[in-house]
Amino acid sequence: MTDIQNAATAQNGAEVFIPLNRLKKSPKNARKTPHRPEDIAALAASIEAKTMLQPPVVEPEMDEAGAPTGFFLVTIGEGRRQAQLLRVKQKRIKKTEPIRCRIDTENDAHEISLDENVTRFAMHPADQFEAFRRLAEERGFGPEEIAARFGVTPAVVRQRLKLASVSPRLLQTYRDGGMSLEQVMAFTLTDDSARQEALWESLPQWDRDPQAIRRHLTRDRVRSSDSRAVFVGAAAYQEAGGVIERDLFADDRGGWFADPALLDSLVREKLERISEEVLADGWKWVALEPDPGCARLAPEVRDLTSEEIERLAELVQEREALQESHGEWDDEAEARWTGIEEEVQALHAARRGFSPEVKARAGGFVSLGRDGRASIDLGYVRAEDQPPYDGSLETEVGGGESSGTATKPKEPGRSSLSDKLVADLTAHRTLALQDALAQNPDVAFIEVLHLLTATTFGRRHGTATCLRLRTDAPFLDRHAAGIGESRAGCAVRARHEAWEGRIAEAEGDLRTFVEGLSRDDAMALLAHCVSLTVNAVETTDRGSWEGGLPGDALAEALSLDMTTYWTPTAETYFGRVSKGRILEAVTEAVSEDAARRLESAKKADMAEAAEQLVAGTGWLPEPLRTGVAVKEDVPLAAE
């Protein structure tokens, strides 16, 4: 090594140690765009971990007279000089730190600077991935330590280690130019090399984009936002041995649960534990599956306790004071107002419940709600637990002719008349009632609304009526599992519970409640009750429907738009119809070319691709279009 004092006169190619504060950027440096701060930081981290592996190339600085100034111009290695200056700022070295440099006084400084930046070959990314993996496996470095040694973030290291876990065969395909980096990234969703290779070989050329790869790899997985995953929770699922697959290169919103069978088992176990808690509260039975043969009971309403009355008065007073004292409504006042309203509603809700006697013969259903929380629906009684006939018209309301379950006793004052005569007289009375009622729409409206409300909300005991309207609500879960958690199902349930609360808290009997409603409320209640009797389900046991599907006329009258309630997916439609139907849907929704590209795909792949293509187009199958008859299924030679 040449001593620093002789550096200015050192021979070309000699290596010397020069104090850092004696090095300057060369004006002949070809790189004019400044280095990025993150690149300098990465270089400084590398030098810190491994020292500076390549010495900068420098030449002595000369003054106007051609005499050495004692400074040296960095021709090659300006980034390394800046990295060392950063280390000075970090107080890791002194500004006079000796830097090993190589003298070059023969080559053109600008040319070799340009050569250094142009004639360079970066290693293939796949080689970099595997090199990082070797550091992790052979030297035991974790992501944080590797990141510190190379000046990158731990997240970047984890990504590169994940890329290195892709099948060696696929990485070689990537090296050979047969696969893009984005496709390699998509395959990191699973660590199963055999599955990665099998998928790559099975995918047609037209369906090998990264999104298609991700779609196929997660097709039998459960997204973390699924109600089952939310209900069980990631921690409980992993504690039970479940694996969560993550996409480190995209927003995966929590990843995918890789074992649906385990997840379903955990869901059922948790629902059963909740059911045991409900049974411990005194209910006779709790089921996880709905039973259409059960009748729903109306909750009982108790009086408020003195403590509850006092608290309610305090809340009302605070609400009034809050409204008067705030000229401008700020966030704090809004939050307190919301808290008051919630507590008032909770006090009223606490009034509604079921007595121990009712619980002893009734039960309910525990199920998984759409929001990932348990749905507990109580107050149902099975047929064998129904009380015997008590003199009311419950067995006749909505039942047409006599049900035969009980014989109605004769009323006082009629015992001297024969049954035949009573029937004759009341037949005349019935005809007169029909004529009179037809001339009084207001009374007819109240009678219908009274009956519908009684049957809809389980208040038929003690309901005296002579109307014979059937109000049987269809049990739709038998046709479409989970339909109660759909958008329409949630809306109907919320509306029903709101009315149920009003009826339970009303003073007097049900007829008094109905008669006291405003015109708008009465119409709204009537519409709700009538809506629950709609049954437009087409089944083979209901016979033929001439002139279209049941409900067509009603759908037209309501201008029903099913796109706001239902979306065609592989699960809801495409996976349940023939390939001909799928191609027909894609043709209608997108184009013939789009459908033609799917013709050679397997059924499951075709259904998944169709879901993506049709999304957002507003396409609907015929039964969901207003006034369109159902077509026969499109035949296809080979499924």
Side-chain angles (χ1 to χ4, degrees), residues 290-424:
D291 183 356
C294 293
R296 188 172 188 179
L297 303 174
E300 300 165 347
V301 183
R302 63 168 177 80
D303 294 333
L304 289 170
T305 65
S306 57
E307 292 80 5
E308 290 171 333
I309 293 174
E310 182 179 350
R311 179 56 182 162
L312 186 60
E314 292 174 354
L315 291 170
V316 172
Q317 185 177 2
E318 183 181 358
R319 182 172 58 188
E320 293 175 352
L322 188 66
Q323 191 170 13
E324 293 175 359
S325 62
H326 280 77
E328 294 185 5
W329 205 251
D330 55 21
D331 292 341
E332 183 179 354
E334 180 69 27
R336 182 56 195 143
W337 180 276
T338 301
I340 293 173
E341 289 297 304
E342 291 176 351
E343 190 173 351
V344 169
Q345 292 176 12
L347 284 171
H348 286 297
R351 297 177 59 199
R352 299 193 297 272
F354 297 90
S355 67
E357 293 76 20
V358 171
K359 291 181 179 180
R361 66 182 178 89
F365 306 100
V366 175
S367 60
L368 177 58
R370 195 177 187 182
D371 58 356
R373 293 184 293 182
S375 174
I376 304 175
D377 194 9
L378 301 172
Y380 290 86
V381 62
R382 289 169 173 160
E384 61 268 24
D385 295 323
Q386 291 274 18
Y389 179 76
D390 62 355
S392 73
L393 296 183
E394 179 188 15
T395 56
E396 295 187 55
V397 173
E401 298 300 322
S402 173
S403 64
T405 58
T407 301
K408 181 180 178 182
K410 294 181 180 180
E411 296 180 12
R414 294 188 180 182
S415 58
S416 60
L417 301 178
S418 67
D419 291 342
K420 185 177 181 179
L421 178 56
V422 170
D424 182 279

Side-chain angles (χ1 to χ4, degrees), residues 89-330:
K89 289 184 178 179
Q90 295 171 343
K91 300 188 182 302
R92 298 187 179 277
I93 60 175
K94 296 180 179 180
K95 63 181 180 179
T96 56
E97 177 78 10
I99 305 298
R100 183 168 60 95
C101 302
R102 187 165 62 85
I103 302 295
D104 188 320
T105 55
E106 292 185 358
N107 291 303
D108 178 76
H110 180 268
E111 182 179 351
I112 64 174
S113 173
L114 178 62
D115 199 0
E116 171 76 6
N117 287 282
V118 173
T119 312
R120 58 196 305 177
F121 305 96
M123 68 188 305
H124 194 280
D127 297 333
Q128 184 187 114
F129 308 153
E130 294 184 344
F132 270 63
R133 183 177 63 184
R134 286 188 60 183
L135 289 175
E137 294 177 351
E138 297 178 6
R139 302 188 63 180
F141 291 163
E144 287 74 16
E145 186 168 1
I146 296 175
R149 297 177 71 87
F150 288 90
V152 294
T153 65
V156 169
V157 176
R158 291 189 185 95
Q159 288 180 337
R160 292 174 183 173
L161 292 175
K162 192 69 173 175
L163 288 164
S165 70
V166 173
S167 159
R169 286 180 54 190
L170 296 186
L171 284 180
Q172 188 58 50
T173 301
Y174 171 46
R175 285 189 176 94
D176 296 339
M179 182 185 296
S180 69
L181 177 58
E182 288 73 19
Q183 288 170 312
V184 178
M185 291 176 178
F187 275 112
T188 63
L189 276 171
T190 177
D191 293 331
D192 188 340
S193 295
R195 186 173 180 227
Q196 294 169 349
E197 294 171 8
L199 176 58
W200 179 254
E201 293 170 0
S202 68
L203 291 176
Q205 290 289 339
W206 56 266
D207 196 29
R208 284 183 169 179
D209 62 89
Q211 287 305 318
I213 294 171
R214 287 187 172 91
R215 185 174 68 246
H216 286 287
L217 286 176
T218 59
R219 185 169 56 194
D220 59 347
R221 295 334 193 214
V222 178
R223 187 175 283 281
S224 62
S225 57
D226 184 275
S227 60
R228 292 170 292 171
V230 174
F231 181 61
V232 172
Y237 168 76
Q238 291 175 308
E239 185 177 344
V243 175
I244 296 179
E245 295 177 345
R246 302 299 306 267
D247 189 345
L248 298 182
F249 303 94
D251 180 14
D252 62 10
R253 293 177 291 174
W256 290 265
F257 287 51
D259 193 340
L262 172 62
L263 182 61
D264 289 338
S265 174
L266 294 174
V267 168
R268 189 168 189 86
E269 289 176 6
K270 189 171 182 179
L271 289 177
E272 288 174 348
R273 290 196 298 271
I274 295 173
S275 299
E276 292 172 359
E277 295 174 1
V278 175
L279 286 172
D281 192 37
W283 293 95
K284 181 178 181 180
W285 56 269
V286 176
L288 302 186
E289 304 295 336
D291 183 356
C294 293
R296 188 172 188 179
L297 303 174
E300 300 165 347
V301 183
R302 63 168 177 80
D303 294 333
L304 289 170
T305 65
S306 57
E307 292 80 5
E308 290 171 333
I309 293 174
E310 182 179 350
R311 179 56 182 162
L312 186 60
E314 292 174 354
L315 291 170
V316 172
Q317 185 177 2
E318 183 181 358
R319 182 172 58 188
E320 293 175 352
L322 188 66
Q323 191 170 13
E324 293 175 359
S325 62
H326 280 77
E328 294 185 5
W329 205 251
D330 55 21

Side-chain angles (χ1 to χ4, degrees), residues 414-598:
R414 294 188 180 182
S415 58
S416 60
L417 301 178
S418 67
D419 291 342
K420 185 177 181 179
L421 178 56
V422 170
D424 182 279
L425 294 175
T426 53
H428 284 276
R429 184 169 179 264
T430 297
L431 193 59
L433 283 171
Q434 291 177 356
D435 182 55
L437 188 61
Q439 299 178 57
N440 197 324
D442 290 338
V443 174
F445 174 82
I446 290 297
E447 287 298 315
V448 171
L449 181 55
H450 175 224
L451 174 59
L452 289 175
T453 304
T455 54
T456 299
F457 294 96
R459 295 299 186 93
R460 292 179 291 181
H461 281 289
T463 298
T465 181
C466 56
L467 299 188
R468 290 298 181 267
L469 300 178
R470 295 189 62 84
T471 57
D472 298 332
F475 191 72
L476 300 177
D477 279 69
R478 71 177 66 180
H479 303 293
I483 193 173
E485 297 302 322
S486 66
R487 175 182 173 182
C490 292
V492 170
R493 182 171 62 250
R495 187 181 304 114
H496 189 86
E497 291 174 352
W499 277 113
E500 192 170 57
R502 289 186 60 178
I503 293 171
E505 295 177 4
E507 301 290 339
D509 60 17
L510 183 62
R511 182 179 294 276
T512 301
F513 169 77
V514 171
E515 290 176 341
L517 292 174
S518 67
R519 181 75 177 178
D520 289 344
D521 279 353
M523 294 299 290
L525 178 56
L526 177 66
H528 173 65
C529 295
V530 171
S531 71
L532 297 185
T533 70
V534 173
N535 187 356
V537 178
E538 185 187 24
T539 57
T540 55
D541 60 344
R542 294 188 68 178
S544 61
W545 296 88
E546 297 182 0
L549 293 175
D552 277 354
L554 182 59
E556 290 181 359
L558 295 171
S559 300
L560 183 66
D561 179 9
M562 280 301 298
T563 61
T564 63
Y565 293 100
W566 185 89
T567 301
T569 66
E571 180 181 0
T572 62
Y573 182 76
F574 297 115
R576 303 168 65 181
V577 299
S578 68
K579 293 174 72 174
R581 275 287 193 180
I582 296 176
L583 295 176
E584 179 185 281
V586 173
T587 299
E588 290 182 356
V590 186
S591 67
E592 292 184 5
D593 288 341
R596 193 176 299 113
R597 289 194 294 271
L598 297 180

